[in-house]
Each structure stands twice: as C-alpha cells, then as structure tokens.
Amino acid sequence: MSKYWSDIVGELQPYKPGEQATSDGVIKLNTNENAYPPSPTVEEAIKFFSSGSLRLYPDPMSLRLRTAIADLENLGIDNVFVGNGSDEVLAHTFRAFFKNDVPVVFPDVTYSFYPTYCKLFNLSYGEIPLDDDFQFRPELIPARNGGIIFPNPNAPTGIYLDYSEVELIASKHADSVVVIDEAYGEFGTRSSADLVKKYPNVVVTRSFSKSYSLAGARLGYALANKDLIEGLYRIKDSFNSYPVDRLAEVCALAALRDRTYLNSVIKKIKESRETLTNGLRNLGFRVLNSEANFVFVSHEKIMAESLSVALRERDILVRYFSKPTRIGNFLRITVGTEQQVQKLLASMTEILR
Ligand SMILES: Cc1ncc(COP(=O)(O)O)c(C=O)c1O
C-alpha cells in the first residue's frame, strides 16, 4: 500500500497468471499453452520479417489481419476487432458494453479474470451457480442484468455448452450484450461465431494463444455486429492506438494461412485429451468431459494440493487453484504431447501408489 496510489488500486484483486518455468526439462501443463510449436509458415514469416520496419508504428486498425480473419469467419472487416491477446479484447468488451447499474453475470466457476475486470471497471456482478455436474444452467440468468459473459468451452472445467443453448441465451436476453469467450473454441464441437450475423447483441472472442500456438505473440479478436465493433474501437483508441505490433501481425497472418497444420495439431491434442482422460479415470480420478485443451480433475483419496506438489517434485507443473470453494480439490491439467501425457500418467501412478 502506498500513499501515492489512487483509491481504486488498493481495492483491486489482480489476476494471478500461472507460473512460467525457469529451467529446461520442466513439463509445463499449467497455463493451457499449446504443446506444439506454431506452423512452420510462422518461422518462415519471421525469417523474412524486416527488422527495419520496426522503426514505424504498426497499422492502428490492423487492416490486413482483420481482412484475413473476416475472410476466414465469412464476415465483413467491420465485424472484426483485434487486440493484444483476447484478455485485452475482453477488458475492452467489459468497458464498452457492460452496465454499472445492474450486475453483470457469469458462471460461479469460470475464468477468474471476469471478476477482476468488474473490480477494475467498477461493475457489480452476480454468479450463476453451475449444477453438481458443473453444467451451466442458462435458465438461471436473471432477466435484468448488466451483461452476460461465459467461456465456451468453460474454463477451468472444459465443459461445452450446446450451440442451441447459446443461441437461446442470445435471443432471450436481446437487451443485454452476450459475450461468448471462445479462447478454446477450436477444440470444441461448434463455434458460435455465426450468431453475430443474426443477433446484434452477440460478441464472440477468440484467441491465437491456444490452437494457433501463439501465446507469446499476444493476439486475440472479437466478432460482432459493426456497431459493437465500432464501440470496441472507441475504447481501444482511448487507451492504446497500437495494441497489435508488426511482428505479431505477420505471425498471425502466417498461422491463419496454414489450415492443414492447425487441423493436424487440433486432432493430435484431441487424441491426447482422450488418452489423458481415460488414463486418469483408470487411476480413479473424476475427470470432467472436456472440449478444451485441458482437463479438470479430482481424486477422492489424495488432495489436489498434495498432488500438485508431488508432480512439481517430478518436474511437472499443473494448475491448482487454492480456493476454499467446490473447486478447491481440483487440478487443471493442460493436454500435452502424447509423450508428456504418458509421463504425467506414469507420475500419477507412482504418486498414488
Ligand atoms: C477462458 C479464457 N479466456 C481468455 C483467455 C486469454 O487468452 P489470451 O489473452 O492469451 O488470448 C484465457 C487464457 O488462458 C482463458 O482461459
């Protein structure tokens, strides 16, 4: 606490990112990064990147990247906003569309950045309780709300909400902005992206960090009706004109082009997710059905915290949320390569013995 802080600083509850490994040889399954490198087209693009161009600011409107995303999503460029990671895109979304006078709503078990943004932007919020199987119950969303947000698939549970249910939320709450955070969308059954054509209140956010293996480049985007996108640009231009740097844009354009590589990585991760899920279930774990690149698990006989410590001693990092809530005994484990999954299963077997 410093006497120089503004009133709000002391009140904030900053998000705590998962730790980054400091030594080689650590198997990092704690922050849902992709286990595989980005497409070779990205390496190629970096090789041909002219460092001299860094003298100049990047395009503040990221027109090339927005055009490529619009083509991919079958939308217009006016329907696309890009930012510095989907976290930044989400922050602008909270600022641009959520109301102060009634609570913003999201599931009680969800991405912990949402309450952090509410604090930052002085928004009140209400949590919609997931049921005992961690399913989202859209019928519990109050008619009066300051905005609705949920990840699909949800994080940290990995559970996917059916497209038809997402559509129902959008149509039923036509006076609220409904934000569908698809950071893990490429690993799920179906994206809700095309709902933005039909519903003027829908925003879908997506990330280059997970499926495209570009977490280090910090890129994310939002899809929505053109008035909402204009709202996001009004916020962006009141905050930082140049959130997407030149090198990041080149990497994203290259990654977007290589659909074959993207699909092969997604396929491998889905296969390893199945191996991991079955392997852990055979060891007595409760493993929620995940449609993301991670699984959410607990074991009756051994506390999640002890497990995370024992795994760390074996150079494997997983995410443990030290919260005295019903997820207090769960671990979130990123799906690694097949080899990493085997190493994790062998370590779990040893620990449980
Ligand atoms: C649900 C969810 N949304 C958004 C993000 C942010 O992703 P990024 O800022 O890397 O695009 C994450 C990151 O882990 C996430 O889990």
Side-chain angles (χ1 to χ4, degrees), residues 309-352:
V309 171
L311 287 169
R312 169 186 287 277
E313 282 162 6
R314 290 161 176 80
D315 280 340
I316 300 177
L317 299 183
V318 296
R319 190 79 192 254
Y320 166 66
F321 301 91
S322 52
K323 282 186 189 158
T325 60
R326 63 180 161 145
I327 65 162
N329 199 28
F330 274 82
L331 290 179
R332 194 195 64 196
I333 306 175
T334 305
V335 178
T337 60
E338 199 57 31
Q339 207 186 5
Q340 290 173 333
V341 165
Q342 293 307 338
K343 175 91 202 293
L344 177 101
L345 290 173
S347 301
M348 285 292 204
T349 310
E350 197 181 285
I351 295 162
L352 288 164

Side-chain angles (χ1 to χ4, degrees), residues 85-87 90 111 151 155 181 183-184 207 209-210 218-219:
S86 59
D87 277 340
L90 288 168
Y111 188 34
D181 173 352
Y184 303 98
S207 175
S209 302
K210 315 295 178 181
R218 309 304 302 126
L219 284 158

Side-chain angles (χ1 to χ4, degrees), residues 184-202:
Y184 303 98
E186 289 85 353
F187 303 105
T189 304
R190 180 175 174 185
S191 167
S192 300
D194 60 1
L195 291 181
V196 310
K197 291 183 199 161
K198 200 164 159 195
Y199 298 94
N201 59 325
V202 166

Side-chain angles (χ1 to χ4, degrees), residues 58 60 62 81-84 88 92 218 236 240-245:
S62 305
F81 174 87
V82 295
N84 190 264
E88 186 190 71
H92 290 343
R218 309 304 302 126
K236 178 218 107 174
N240 174 8
S241 306
Y242 307 107
V244 177
D245 68 72

Side-chain angles (χ1 to χ4, degrees), residues 22 29 49 62 77 114 170 218 290-291 302 325 328 337:
T22 48
L29 305 176
F49 180 76
S62 305
I77 185 171
Y114 302 161
R218 309 304 302 126
S290 170
E291 293 214 20
I302 176 161
T325 60
T337 60

